[in-house]
């Protein structure tokens, strides 16, 4: 068994009367020869590392070695606890957790790539927000990681997931799409609804370029992770309401691939365009590396 | 179908900041460490394209040296690997180039490394999400997938065995 498209995934789940997460678990067991218990405990280890990154990042107000990021998770956490956030508990807490993870990443702390390190804040952000707000047990969050990996697996094999190959749409875009679908599955949506949420989230981020200031995974990457969590929740709500993506998910992924192929090299993680080449972006690079551009 | 497992997507567990420019590069270095069966004394490292432009910000240099020193992607010593390399007697040089003519990918490196009297030249590409591929060894094209859930010492051993069996054919 190998799933190569979202359409195939929906059909396989409907035929087997199973969820996308369970389908990934079955496929992994078949392909790797490992038993399900071992695979689940490997995934649990990843969830634990995600929680540890959030726990340490949430308390840590120190700056990254570059000096251009750090401290925002603490600010957001204080603000969110004040009860004022306009975005509500689900999104504002996901934003805090996402900031904590991405700031840890910038400090060269230990994180879990989901699917990449540059986009590592989004999935843990939404998962632990679900846990905090509606008590989704950790065991279910682990199954959510299987849902997310199935969606990412299809995206990665049909398109790309690295900023150097396809721009930020391939990183934050893919991670947000995976997170949106995962929320839907954890909230009891059908595989079809999961895939619609995935498509809707990805469509919202098509064309996003990868333009990291000084080549660091900090500006604008960290805040794009944070905003990614809100897009994931919005796309999930749409799908759970029964709203469908007019363009099928497989075609959205194909569009992402084609857009990435047409994206100039300057906007694919070379730090030679976009925000990296703004006046401030250039100044940061010069100061950091004492090198004229 | 380069991505084969759920752990290629959720994972690796790694030190930041980049799965392609940090973790995937640790794996390439670590594979060379296994291929040489130890840490090299000398290494020449060429970074191409996106690696050449952004290696400082992503710690790509530290990641590669960390791998050559035998570290895994989640080893918190990676950020100190430049100092550790000099402590452990690993002499290295870095070169930066625009484009790699052997393999079409923006994240590529070619490493020539010596351990004792053994020298290897390895071309590696980091495909994204921490997954890497060795596309060339000692001038011959290769296709070896490096996922952090694999045991690189087994992959290196298999490579050596295959090479031996290629040489040891036919009558003398």
């Amino acid at each position: 068994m190998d799933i190569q498209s979202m359409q195939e995934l929906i059909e396989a789940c409907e035929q087997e009367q199973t969820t996308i997460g369970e389908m990934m678990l079955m496929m992994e067991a078949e392909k790797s020869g490992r038993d399900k218990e071992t695979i689940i405990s490997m995934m649990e280890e990843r969830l634990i590392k995600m929680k540890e990154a959030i726990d340490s990042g949430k308390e840590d107000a120190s700056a990254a070695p570059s000096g251009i990021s750090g401290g925002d998770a603490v600010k957001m956490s204080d603000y969110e606890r004040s009860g004022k956030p306009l975005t509500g508990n689900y999104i504002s807490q996901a934003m805090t957790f996402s900031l904590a993870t991405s700031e840890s990443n910038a400090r060269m702390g230990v994180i879990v790539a989901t699917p990449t390190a540059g986009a590592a804040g989004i999935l843990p952000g939404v998962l632990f927000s679900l846990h905090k707000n509606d008590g989704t047990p950790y065991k279910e969050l682990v199954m959510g990681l299987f849902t997310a990996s199935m969606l990412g697996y299809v995206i990665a094999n049909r398109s790309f997931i690295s900023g150097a190959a396809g721009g930020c749409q391939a990183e934050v875009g893919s991670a947000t799409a995976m997170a949106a679908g995962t929320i839907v599955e954890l909230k009891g949506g059908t595989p079809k609804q999961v895939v619609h949420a995935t498509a809707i989230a990805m469509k919202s981020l098509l064309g996003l370029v990868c333009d990291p200031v000084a080549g660091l995974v900090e500006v604008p990457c960290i805040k794009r992770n944070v905003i990614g969590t809100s897009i994931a929740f919005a796309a999930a709500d749409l799908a759970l309401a029964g709203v469908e993506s007019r363009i099928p998910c497989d075609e959205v992924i194909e569009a992402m691939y084609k857009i990435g192929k047409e994206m100039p090299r300057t906007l694919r993680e070379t730090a030679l365009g976009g925000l990296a080449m703004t006046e401030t972006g250039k100044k940061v690079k010069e100061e950091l590396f004492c090198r004229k551009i | 179908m380069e991505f084969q497992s759920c752990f290629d997507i959720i994972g690796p567990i790694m030190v930041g900041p980049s799965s392609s420019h940090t973790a995937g590069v640790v794996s390439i270095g670590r594979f060379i460490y296994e291929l040489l069966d130890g840490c090299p004394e000398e290494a020449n490292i060429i970074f191409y394209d996106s690696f050449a432009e952004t290696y400082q910000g992503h710690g790509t240099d530290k990641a590669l040296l960390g791998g050559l020193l035998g570290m895994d992607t989640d080893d918190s010593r990676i950020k100190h690997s430049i100092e550790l390399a000099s402590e452990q007697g690993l002499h290295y040089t870095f070169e930066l180039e625009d484009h790699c003519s052997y393999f079409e990918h923006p994240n590529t490196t070619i490493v020539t490394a010596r351990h004792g009297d053994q020298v290897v030249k390895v071309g590696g590409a980091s495909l994204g999400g921490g997954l890497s591929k060795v596309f060339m060894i000692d001038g011959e094209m290769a296709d070896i997938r490096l996922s952090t859930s694999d045991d690189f010492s087994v992959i290196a051993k298999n490579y050596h065995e295959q090479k031996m069996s290629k040489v040891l054919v036919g009558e003398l």
Side-chain angles (χ1 to χ4, degrees), chain A residues 118-175:
Chain A
I122 300 162
L123 196 57
V126 304
L127 287 178
F128 286 97
S129 175
L130 284 177
H131 171 76
K132 195 163 175 187
N133 285 289
D134 60 16
T136 307
Y138 288 138
K139 220 173 126 189
E140 282 182 34
L141 298 189
V142 173
M143 283 316 294
L145 289 178
F146 286 106
T147 310
S149 50
M150 183 80 249
L151 300 170
Y153 180 89
V154 173
I155 296 168
N157 282 316
R158 291 180 77 84
S159 183
F160 21 49
I161 52 167
S162 85
C168 194
Q169 57 164 5
E171 291 210 28
V172 166
S174 299

Side-chain angles (χ1 to χ4, degrees), chain A residues 28 105 111 113 117 157 265 269, chain B residues 3 5-6 11 14 16-17 49-50:
Chain A
E28 184 71 22
N105 183 54
I111 53 94
N157 282 316
R265 178 174 171 268
E269 211 169 347
Chain B
F3 295 82
S5 156
C6 55
M14 54 168 282
D49 203 345
S50 177

Side-chain angles (χ1 to χ4, degrees), chain B residues 63-109:
Chain B
L64 192 71
L65 292 175
L68 291 176
L69 291 167
M71 295 180 201
D72 288 324
T73 54
D74 60 349
D75 197 317
S76 52
R77 295 173 302 161
I78 287 171
K79 59 174 113 169
H80 308 299
S81 60
I82 288 180
E83 298 87 55
L84 289 167
S86 59
E87 271 173 34
Q88 297 192 26
L90 162 56
H91 300 279
Y92 59 86
T93 47
F94 280 106
E95 288 174 47
L96 306 177
E97 305 262 345
D98 276 350
H99 180 252
C100 177
S101 54
Y102 300 102
F103 193 75
E104 193 55 50
H105 197 279
N107 295 336
T108 47
T109 178

Side-chain angles (χ1 to χ4, degrees), chain A residues 75-155:
Chain A
K75 273 186 205 162
M76 187 62 202
S77 178
D78 289 345
Y79 173 67
E80 164 245 297
R81 274 184 303 204
S82 73
K84 288 186 214 152
L86 305 171
T87 46
N89 290 343
Y90 279 89
I91 291 179
S92 67
Q93 280 162 13
M95 287 165 76
T96 303
F97 299 154
S98 171
L99 266 171
T101 307
S102 294
E103 286 184 352
S104 293
N105 183 54
R107 292 189 196 99
M108 286 188 98
V110 175
I111 53 94
V112 184
T114 56
T116 65
I122 300 162
L123 196 57
V126 304
L127 287 178
F128 286 97
S129 175
L130 284 177
H131 171 76
K132 195 163 175 187
N133 285 289
D134 60 16
T136 307
Y138 288 138
K139 220 173 126 189
E140 282 182 34
L141 298 189
V142 173
M143 283 316 294
L145 289 178
F146 286 106
T147 310
S149 50
M150 183 80 249
L151 300 170
Y153 180 89
V154 173
I155 296 168

